[in-house]
Amino acid sequence: MKNSTSYYAKILSEKGLKASHQRIMVLDYLDSHRCHPTADMILSALKQDMPTLSKSTVYKTLNAFVDANLLREITIEDNEIRYEYNLMDHGHFKCESCGQVYDFTIDFGLLKTKDLDGFQINDRNIYFKGVCKSCLDNEQNNV
Amino acid sequence: MKNSTSYYAKILSEKGLKASHQRIMVLDYLDSHRCHPTADMILSALKQDMPTLSKSTVYKTLNAFVDANLLREITIEDNEIRYEYNLMDHGHFKCESCGQVYDFTIDFGLLKTKDLDGFQINDRNIYFKGVCKSCLDNEQNNV
DNA sequence: GTTCCTGCAAAAGCTTTGCAGAAGA
DNA sequence: TCTTCTGCAAAGCTTTTGCAGGAAC
């Protein structure tokens, strides 16, 4: 656990959410790991310590967190929603070989276009796909 | 129909795909409308002229087109894949009010980051969300 | 004591698959 | 003629919903 239970409980109550054990565990997981898991990955990871945790609780928890602006949803592939506890502007890279999602910094101020003059922009997303350095290195070693 | 049947038939055979009536209709629809439909939208539109067209044919056709690099898949929301017949680099804006997807031009050359040095980038996507000009104007008129 | 949350099971959506008949090359 | 495609039905996945019991405040 990266921070104390009361630390996460405070965050939750500030957002008007009850600080249940399950919610604290989910929030802690996302804060500690800083990865980009799907709902199913979170469930699998937390089931080890909470065998009774249910899939629907994980889904409801994540949706509540997104509604409360505590998490961001990431949509790279159509068949999976990923979540992250990092509200700073940044881009995502998904490796087509190993499936891992990497963050990268990017200057969103450069993303200007006249085509959207008069539009209200609420959310900006960038994602790349390709092969990560680690997979490329492995390929070379195996050839 | 924007172009002739033989025009689309040629495109298909160049990609090694048989030029069936259904495939020509799907390709023509995407070329003529230049919108960002889901598989279901395409099915609904084409059913008027082809009542026997089946959902699985539309899905198989779209997947075959994507594999042949004839179309691009767009993933903005998790619960819907959209398709477009426009392989040029550009961004997408989805209006959270009316649901319409707009294209916008953007200089992808500006998207440089040191965080991905050594990575192989195959695909770059940008999408914004917000409220489009037309919905904003309507809001003002109704207040 | 209320209100909100959890967990089970069932339902809902979208997408894929298997297979027999039909159409394209 | 041979290969590939279509369309129906069924299956597969992820996500959502309804509801009764339980936990938080």
Side-chain angles (χ1 to χ4, degrees):
Chain A
M1 189 170 258
K2 184 175 173 184
N3 287 290
S4 67
T5 297
S6 61
Y7 170 83
Y8 295 115
K10 192 181 168 205
I11 292 177
L12 291 170
S13 62
E14 279 172 358
K15 295 285 187 177
L17 298 167
K18 286 198 175 172
S20 71
H21 182 218
Q22 290 88 339
R23 287 179 172 176
I24 290 170
M25 294 296 276
V26 171
L27 189 53
D28 171 45
Y29 179 83
L30 285 156
D31 188 22
S32 307
H33 292 77
R34 293 287 168 159
C35 54
H36 310 78
T38 62
D40 210 57
M41 291 175 192
I42 296 171
L43 178 68
S44 303
L46 295 183
K47 268 229 162 180
Q48 300 185 17
D49 290 324
M50 294 178 65
T52 64
L53 182 64
S54 80
K55 195 170 277 198
S56 64
T57 297
V58 174
Y59 278 110
K60 285 170 186 168
T61 298
L62 292 170
N63 283 337
F65 286 6
V66 171
D67 289 344
N69 272 309
L70 215 49
L71 299 183
R72 279 178 68 117
E73 276 186 6
I74 315 174
T75 310
I76 298 182
E77 309 290 345
D78 56 292
N79 59 338
E80 59 179 28
I81 312 180
R82 288 167 176 270
Y83 296 88
E84 74 174 342
Y85 187 53
N86 178 356
L87 301 176
M88 308 272 286
D89 270 350
H90 62 278
H92 293 111
F93 176 94
K94 179 163 181 174
C95 177
E96 293 169 330
S97 174
C98 66
Q100 174 145 2
V101 176
Y102 297 82
D103 286 341
F104 62 83
T105 56
I106 195 133
D107 185 356
F108 276 62
L110 296 174
L111 295 180
K112 291 196 175 137
T113 176
K114 287 183 182 169
D115 296 351
L116 298 180
D117 280 354
F119 283 49
Q120 173 189 319
I121 297 172
N122 296 334
D123 190 26
R124 296 188 290 188
N125 296 276
I126 298 182
Y127 68 87
F128 292 180
K129 293 186 194 176
V131 185
C132 71
K133 193 168 185 311
S134 146
C135 286
L136 286 174
D137 289 348
N138 285 340
E139 255 176 51
Q140 266 190 334
N141 292 339
N142 294 336
V143 169
Chain B
M1 190 169 256
K2 185 174 173 184
N3 288 289
S4 67
T5 297
S6 60
Y7 170 83
Y8 295 115
K10 190 180 170 207
I11 292 177
L12 290 171
S13 62
E14 279 171 1
K15 294 287 187 176
L17 297 168
K18 288 200 176 174
S20 71
H21 183 218
Q22 291 87 339
R23 287 180 172 176
I24 289 170
M25 294 295 276
V26 170
L27 189 52
D28 171 45
Y29 179 83
L30 285 156
D31 188 23
S32 307
H33 292 76
R34 292 285 168 160
C35 54
H36 310 78
T38 62
D40 211 55
M41 291 176 192
I42 296 170
L43 178 67
S44 304
L46 296 183
K47 268 229 163 179
Q48 300 185 18
D49 291 325
M50 294 176 66
T52 62
L53 182 64
S54 81
K55 194 171 278 197
S56 65
T57 297
V58 174
Y59 277 110
K60 285 171 185 169
T61 298
L62 292 170
N63 283 338
F65 286 5
V66 171
D67 289 345
N69 272 310
L70 215 48
L71 299 183
R72 279 179 68 114
E73 275 186 7
I74 316 174
T75 310
I76 298 182
E77 310 290 346
D78 56 292
N79 60 335
E80 58 179 27
I81 313 180
R82 288 167 176 270
Y83 297 87
E84 74 174 343
Y85 187 52
N86 178 356
L87 301 176
M88 308 271 287
D89 270 351
H90 62 277
H92 293 111
F93 176 93
K94 178 162 182 177
C95 177
E96 293 169 331
S97 176
C98 67
Q100 174 145 4
V101 177
Y102 297 81
D103 287 341
F104 61 83
T105 55
I106 193 132
D107 184 356
F108 276 62
L110 297 173
L111 295 180
K112 290 196 175 138
T113 177
K114 286 184 182 168
D115 296 350
L116 298 181
D117 279 355
F119 285 48
Q120 173 190 322
I121 298 173
N122 297 335
D123 189 27
R124 298 188 290 189
N125 296 274
I126 298 182
Y127 66 87
F128 293 179
K129 293 186 193 177
V131 185
C132 73
K133 195 169 185 308
S134 145
C135 285
L136 287 173
D137 289 348
N138 286 340
E139 255 177 51
Q140 266 191 335
N141 293 337
N142 295 336
V143 170

